[in-house]
Amino acid sequence: MGKVVVLKKIIYVILFAAFLFGGVILLNKWLCFKDGSICSGDERVKTFQSLPENSVDVLIVGSSHVMCGMNPVIFWEQEGITAYNLATRAQTLPFSYLYLKEALKTQSPRYVIMDAYSVMDEKEQYGLINNEDHFNMNMGSLPFSMGKAELIEKYIPFRERIYYYIPFLRFHSRWKRALEMQPDNPGIFLGFCCGEDETEENVSFEEPYSLGREERAPLEAVDLEYLERIIELCRKEEIPLIFIKTPVNASKEQMGRFNELGDILEKEGIPFVNYMELYRETDFSYREDFRDRTHLNSRGAEKITTHFLEFLKEYDLAQTGGSLKDHRNETGFDFWQQKSEAYHAHQRERGREE
Amino acid sequence: MIFYSPDFLLFLPVVLVICFLVPKRVQNIWLLIASLLFYASGGIQYLPFLLLSVTVSYFCALACEKYPDKKRIALLIWVVWGLGLLFAMKYLPFAYSLLSRFLGVLGISGETPRFSTFLPIGISFYTFSTIGYLMDVYRGKIKAERNFIDYGLFVTFFPYVLSGPIERAGQILPQIKAGVIYSFENIRQGACRMLWGYFLKLVIAERLRIFVDRVYGEYQAYSGVHLLIATVLFAFQLCADFAGYSEIAMGAAKMLGIDVMQNFKAPYFARSVSEFFKRWHISLNRWFVDYLYIPLGGNRKGKWRKYLNVMITFIFSGLWHGAGLCFVVWGGLNGLYMVVGDMTKKARESFKRKLGVRTECFSYRLWQALFTFAAVDLAWLFFRADSLRTGFGILQKIFLSFKLESLIDRSLLTMGFDGYDWMLLCVSMVLWLIVDSLREKGNFYRKFLEQNLLFRYLIFMAGLFGILVFGVYGPDFAAGAFLYFQF
């Protein structure tokens, strides 16, 4: 075979591979995971990716507890701080680590607020990492990365991995839905979920029992591993990390794990703003500010966010002399103002505001 | 390991690459190992039966050649062994149930023994393949193969060991002995064939399966129109399923430079039942002609004996497909079509002449094809039905509960198919029709590969991604195995 013939064949193979690769990428975009719910990562990730680079001051990462409990609109309205809530349903620490890594590719926030939810529930028992639906719900919206590949290799059985590496093979039957227009999901503002009407009913609880500050329960290995990696990543990127836990009805054992986490964070010199205890310092009410068993309603979120913002300001002043700036009168931050207005319009429409 | 599983899509390139890397004299050993691994992936417990069949038939053929005066005994040993095993595994419960029914009629009843449901995969295919080989050695058409590896590979070759085509030693062994021929052309042609096979299986057959299974599964709940549509669609499901399998098998073999017999040639283009069976499952029908019909006397012993031979051949063909009365009825009906067709041939010809019917125009050919399809599809109804009672029940409903309004009352959108599915199905069937028409005119794949690069790549990619998007596979669907796996 002459050199020209060999060269031609190599070019054919490269062209073929390019066609194949291009097609796979396009189909992965077209037929990716979409659960369409208010708690999915679809819209949050899409909006986050559209933000101007390095425009986010405070990045909130975690589960639906912070998704419904930390409202970035309040950050903007009260202090002109640009915050974004990159939370997904039952996001455990391995996923949070990946979200954080992905977010840091385009943003360099002043603070990372990490949800402590992960330690609350047993991962294996509730399928919080290796369950297919859960994995897709958390990972489906994220682009392919080495971090994602690591999680697939770690938690997905060998035979199923192909559906995670080439997700359209898993979701190809959604072509019918993909042909129909997908409406934007109302009720998501800068990642904050202010609820849908039917789930917005208040659920009233008694004041929690003595929360047992003395209780201790060991953390799962997976939490310890990713806690360490998150801390390491933030240190490497020189971004202060703050852990938060919004109020929730926890069992004694769960409380023990939160306390154990608190001990570890204390040793690491990382603040843990635990509203399981701190709620007493706010006007938060277990009777009025929950929308369901574990999630706050928008009123509860407003109370917790406002209190947290006070803490953040003080902490920022003490640590850096005030690195968080008010962007409200600066140009290039219209997006936050628009989202803030949209949020209030949404609330008015649902009769939650005058 | 089924052809559309990720395992196979990994297995095939690995086999190809290793085959390419090892020395030529080791290639067949590697292919034999790969074929046995492929077979064992369907159940390691079935492997001893395959190995035993290979070994016994190998020695029987050698004995046949070495002791010409006792070759009949050698042949008999293998036929009795092979068919005996097949009978014990596949037909014993059926035979017993027939016998007990017969005895029941005579008032004799006994305790029903428990039969094992153990049926080695592909046993019907490899048993027939080895019997064909022994018969050819016996008749002196081919020489007995001395190289055990080559012979073993002929029987167990992974593209066809599970569901055919039922290959002939005279066709395959020379190719195996010549060794794997690597060429860019073979790989490309093989890939195109496989792609077309996957299209037939995953886009058409598996989609149709959803509808057909739903309607046949609860036939009492549906009107005659629904049942008629399901029966028509089953004909296409079965064809797409089996033709798809055969194309994938041919494609995989072609990649290794081995040409396997074409098993399907647009069967529904046939204009008579006899032509249909020259286009449908060609390898099996030729086997029955060569090794059953002709030894029975074929058409050499008079008209009535010929009809009897046709009926016997078709009833055995039915039984080969499954141990059940439905399959006997399927075979019997097709045999009857052949016999009646032959008996009335002269009368029909003269009738057409007298009426001045033009037989060389498209409309006449179309009429013939539709008539043949209707006849064949009636037999398919019994092939698909779970029991004779169900088969007749469906037939009765088609005629007695035929409500045309079922076509427009949107009920067709409630049987696992929505508007998109129907639309996709129509487009796929038209594509199938076009490709089969082109294939009738010559080597479609070669002609396709003669086109310009950009055109080829675009069509190939459209096909590949079309299958991946519109195919029925993956965790959302419990895709069925190829229908012919059970035979």
Side-chain angles (χ1 to χ4, degrees):
Chain A
M1 229 185 315
K3 269 186 185 172
V4 179
V5 178
V6 173
L7 200 68
K8 253 172 88 177
K9 293 226 158 108
I10 292 172
I11 291 171
Y12 287 174
V13 171
I14 292 172
L15 250 174
F16 185 85
F19 268 92
L20 193 68
F21 196 63
V24 168
I25 289 175
L26 279 176
L27 285 174
N28 273 343
K29 282 202 164 184
W30 183 43
L31 295 169
C32 59
F33 174 82
K34 282 190 185 84
D35 78 348
S37 83
I38 206 158
C39 296
S40 79
D42 307 346
E43 202 158 312
R44 282 176 184 83
V45 171
K46 208 165 81 184
T47 310
F48 185 79
Q49 285 169 339
S50 71
L51 294 176
E53 277 192 20
N54 301 325
S55 60
V56 174
D57 290 331
V58 175
L59 178 68
I60 304 156
V61 185
S63 72
S64 56
H65 291 200
V66 290
M67 182 196 289
C68 302
M70 292 294 281
N71 186 351
V73 171
I74 311 279
F75 281 70
W76 175 255
E77 285 181 344
Q78 293 189 5
E79 299 295 334
I81 295 169
T82 54
Y84 196 88
N85 201 327
L86 203 51
T88 51
R89 185 185 288 155
Q91 190 188 97
T92 45
L93 283 181
F95 297 127
S96 297
Y97 173 70
L98 191 54
Y99 270 93
L100 181 58
K101 256 183 108 172
E102 281 301 310
L104 296 184
K105 286 179 184 169
T106 55
Q107 301 290 341
S108 46
R110 308 263 172 216
Y111 290 93
V112 167
I113 314 300
M114 184 64 64
D115 186 9
Y117 154 79
S118 185
V119 303
M120 185 168 154
D121 290 327
E122 284 91 353
K123 316 292 163 296
E124 211 160 295
Q125 187 184 344
Y126 297 106
L128 294 180
I129 303 177
N130 52 353
N131 173 277
E132 188 200 347
D133 287 340
H134 188 263
F135 197 96
N136 281 320
M137 200 162 57
N138 277 283
M139 293 285 93
S141 322
L142 285 182
F144 183 77
S145 65
M146 289 315 284
K148 193 169 177 175
E150 187 195 324
L151 285 184
I152 293 170
E153 290 297 318
K154 243 178 164 172
Y155 297 112
I156 303 299
F158 178 73
R159 279 170 181 277
E160 291 165 30
R161 283 178 201 159
I162 188 161
Y163 297 118
Y164 293 81
Y165 283 118
I166 311 175
F168 89 84
L169 293 180
R170 171 71 182 80
F171 300 111
H172 68 97
S173 58
R174 298 184 173 207
W175 59 270
K176 295 174 194 172
R177 275 203 269 168
L179 289 175
E180 289 158 4
M181 291 290 284
Q182 299 288 323
D184 280 347
N185 212 333
I188 305 175
F189 302 94
L190 300 167
F192 170 68
C193 165
C194 67
E196 290 153 337
D197 291 346
E198 57 272 25
T199 60
E200 189 62 358
E201 282 175 27
N202 286 347
V203 178
S204 190
F205 296 106
E206 293 300 314
E207 287 293 305
Y209 55 86
S210 167
L211 286 174
R213 212 179 272 190
E214 304 310 315
E215 295 285 343
R216 289 294 181 276
L219 302 189
E220 288 182 76
V222 62
D223 280 329
L224 288 170
E225 180 193 341
Y226 280 93
L227 180 64
E228 198 181 320
R229 291 174 78 169
I230 287 168
I231 293 170
E232 210 173 283
L233 178 64
C234 287
R235 282 196 179 133
K236 193 177 140 209
E237 299 289 333
E238 296 179 344
I239 303 169
L241 176 66
I242 299 168
F243 267 78
I244 188 171
K245 184 68 216 85
T246 54
V248 70
N249 285 280
S251 68
K252 275 194 173 183
E253 197 179 346
Q254 288 169 332
M255 199 57 211
R257 287 200 285 269
F258 285 130
N259 290 336
E260 180 77 16
L261 175 69
D263 292 347
I264 297 169
L265 292 173
E266 197 178 343
K267 274 184 210 155
E268 296 286 347
I270 294 165
F272 180 26
V273 186
N274 187 355
Y275 283 103
M276 309 285 284
E277 293 174 18
L278 285 171
Y279 81 97
R280 292 193 181 88
E281 294 176 14
T282 71
D283 54 351
F284 183 85
S285 159
Y286 265 72
R287 289 179 191 278
E288 293 173 356
D289 296 334
F290 274 96
R291 59 191 259 199
D292 58 31
R293 212 181 72 80
T294 44
H295 302 109
L296 310 189
N297 58 29
S298 48
R299 189 174 48 242
E302 199 169 320
K303 290 174 185 172
I304 293 298
T305 309
T306 305
H307 187 273
F308 178 79
L309 203 48
E310 285 302 316
F311 161 81
L312 185 64
K313 262 167 40 195
E314 279 174 30
Y315 184 73
D316 180 50
L317 208 60
Q319 296 292 313
T320 65
S323 65
L324 290 168
K325 301 275 183 265
D326 186 344
H327 300 295
R328 278 174 293 187
N329 295 320
E330 292 176 23
T331 52
F333 292 91
D334 297 348
F335 179 74
W336 271 267
Q337 186 55 36
Q338 282 164 13
K339 284 290 166 187
S340 165
E341 285 163 14
Y343 168 71
H344 289 295
H346 178 87
Q347 293 294 71
R348 277 196 299 276
E349 206 177 286
R350 278 153 179 78
R352 295 178 202 144
E353 278 181 17
E354 293 282 307
Chain B
M1 198 190 299
I2 41 180
F3 279 170
Y4 56 89
S5 65
D7 299 1
F8 181 74
L9 297 177
L10 195 68
F11 170 83
L12 183 62
V14 169
V15 171
L16 279 167
V17 169
I18 294 180
C19 213
F20 182 68
L21 294 176
V22 297
K24 207 160 179 71
R25 62 194 156 77
V26 187
Q27 278 178 342
N28 286 352
I29 299 174
W30 162 243
L31 278 181
L32 178 61
I33 293 170
S35 295
L36 293 177
L37 285 173
F38 175 84
Y39 185 83
S41 72
I44 189 112
Q45 68 276 26
Y46 304 135
L47 193 60
F49 291 90
L50 177 67
L51 293 175
L52 209 63
S53 292
V54 171
T55 313
V56 177
S57 60
Y58 170 79
F59 285 111
C60 280
L62 286 180
C64 212
E65 203 169 70
K66 197 170 178 185
Y67 310 105
D69 50 329
K70 288 176 185 160
K71 65 180 184 181
R72 191 179 282 266
I73 298 171
L75 175 69
L76 215 62
I77 289 174
W78 176 240
V79 173
V80 170
W81 169 277
L83 291 182
L85 204 64
L86 194 60
F87 180 81
M89 296 284 174
K90 195 170 170 178
Y91 299 103
L92 203 56
F94 173 61
Y96 184 82
S97 83
L98 281 185
L99 184 70
S100 58
R101 266 192 231 177
F102 176 69
L103 292 176
V105 171
L106 299 177
I108 307 163
S109 62
E111 210 172 295
T112 311
R114 282 190 179 180
F115 291 103
S116 153
T117 50
F118 186 86
L119 181 64
I121 48 174
I123 188 168
S124 306
F125 289 93
Y126 65 72
T127 302
F128 270 40
S129 190
T130 49
I131 289 176
Y133 164 70
L134 250 295
M135 294 277 275
D136 286 349
V137 172
Y138 174 83
R139 289 171 177 172
K141 277 172 80 178
I142 56 167
K143 286 198 169 304
E145 177 54 51
R146 283 176 162 66
N147 187 322
F148 186 75
I149 302 289
D150 290 351
Y151 176 69
L153 182 56
F154 153 65
V155 180
T156 65
F157 191 41
F158 70 87
Y160 58 66
V161 67
L162 293 182
S163 284
I166 299 168
E167 272 302 341
R168 301 297 174 90
Q171 161 83 4
I172 296 293
L173 271 170
Q175 297 186 64
I176 288 176
K177 296 196 90 57
V180 173
I181 302 162
Y182 267 104
S183 83
F184 203 52
E185 184 63 24
N186 282 345
I187 302 237
R188 289 194 313 171
Q189 273 205 40
C192 287
R193 270 195 184 280
M194 288 182 74
L195 194 71
W196 181 242
Y198 284 119
F199 171 79
L200 291 177
K201 169 67 182 168
L202 297 176
V203 180
I204 298 182
E206 281 299 297
R207 178 158 274 101
L208 286 173
R209 190 174 66 85
I210 298 170
F211 184 85
V212 173
D213 282 3
R214 172 79 71 94
V215 177
Y216 266 68
E218 304 160 15
Y219 79 94
Q220 292 96 337
Y222 295 105
S223 80
V225 169
H226 296 143
L227 289 165
L228 182 65
I229 292 171
T231 305
V232 169
L233 291 183
F234 175 67
F236 290 106
Q237 182 204 342
L238 189 63
C239 185
D241 191 285
F242 198 22
Y245 180 91
S246 297
E247 286 293 317
I248 300 168
M250 284 174 80
K254 183 75 186 170
M255 285 185 167
L256 289 157
I258 290 176
D259 285 315
V260 171
M261 139 186 346
Q262 181 152 356
N263 220 8
F264 285 82
K265 285 181 183 165
Y268 296 130
F269 284 5
R271 288 153 60 193
S272 67
V273 175
S274 65
E275 188 192 350
F276 175 80
F277 282 103
K278 284 177 189 147
R279 290 167 171 270
W280 177 276
H281 205 172
I282 299 163
S283 63
L284 178 73
N285 291 317
R286 275 195 201 160
W287 193 98
F288 272 113
V289 169
D290 289 350
Y291 305 119
L292 182 63
Y293 177 71
I294 290 173
L296 282 173
N299 56 5
R300 302 185 304 275
K301 296 189 175 175
K303 209 176 200 179
W304 293 104
R305 180 65 186 271
K306 174 186 156 185
Y307 294 154
L308 179 68
N309 292 342
V310 167
M311 288 307 292
I312 291 173
T313 306
F314 270 96
I315 286 171
F316 269 99
S317 173
L319 278 171
W320 179 90
H321 284 89
L325 284 175
C326 281
F327 294 106
V328 175
V329 170
W330 173 79
L333 262 178
N334 283 310
L336 206 63
Y337 294 153
M338 301 281 276
V339 170
V340 172
D342 195 73
M343 285 168 96
T344 59
K345 194 176 178 186
K346 276 186 184 162
R348 282 184 291 125
E349 293 299 326
S350 107
F351 186 65
K352 276 184 278 183
R353 258 198 316 274
K354 278 178 189 162
L355 282 180
V357 178
R358 293 171 64 186
T359 55
E360 285 314 309
C361 57
F362 172 75
S363 59
Y364 184 75
R365 289 200 296 268
L366 181 68
W367 156 251
Q368 282 183 307
L370 289 176
F371 187 79
T372 304
F373 178 83
V376 167
D377 199 29
L378 176 66
W380 285 141
L381 186 153
F382 289 97
F383 190 94
R384 174 62 182 79
D386 300 332
S387 65
L388 271 187
R389 186 188 292 268
T390 307
F392 283 114
I394 290 171
L395 203 57
Q396 193 183 20
K397 273 209 102 175
I398 288 176
F399 286 107
L400 300 181
S401 170
F402 197 83
K403 294 173 190 159
L404 269 176
E405 63 265 28
S406 307
L407 286 173
I408 48 166
D409 63 2
R410 300 182 70 81
S411 56
L412 284 170
L413 301 177
T414 60
M415 298 168 199
F417 265 30
D418 58 18
Y420 287 118
D421 286 304
W422 283 112
M423 209 159 62
L424 182 64
L425 190 64
C426 289
V427 174
S428 310
M429 300 281 265
V430 169
L431 187 64
W432 188 10
L433 184 76
I434 293 170
V435 171
D436 269 0
S437 303
L438 292 173
R439 287 176 70 172
E440 288 276 284
K441 291 178 183 165
N443 191 328
F444 173 73
Y445 299 110
R446 197 176 299 152
K447 278 189 183 155
F448 169 69
L449 291 169
E450 282 166 6
Q451 304 305 310
N452 282 319
L453 181 101
L454 191 65
F455 176 80
R456 285 195 326 255
Y457 278 15
L458 284 176
I459 295 290
F460 191 88
M461 289 299 157
L464 177 65
F465 290 122
I467 293 164
L468 291 175
V469 172
F470 301 120
V472 175
Y473 68 91
D476 275 357
F477 305 97
F482 287 95
L483 286 173
Y484 264 72
F485 271 8
Q486 58 196 296
F487 302 133

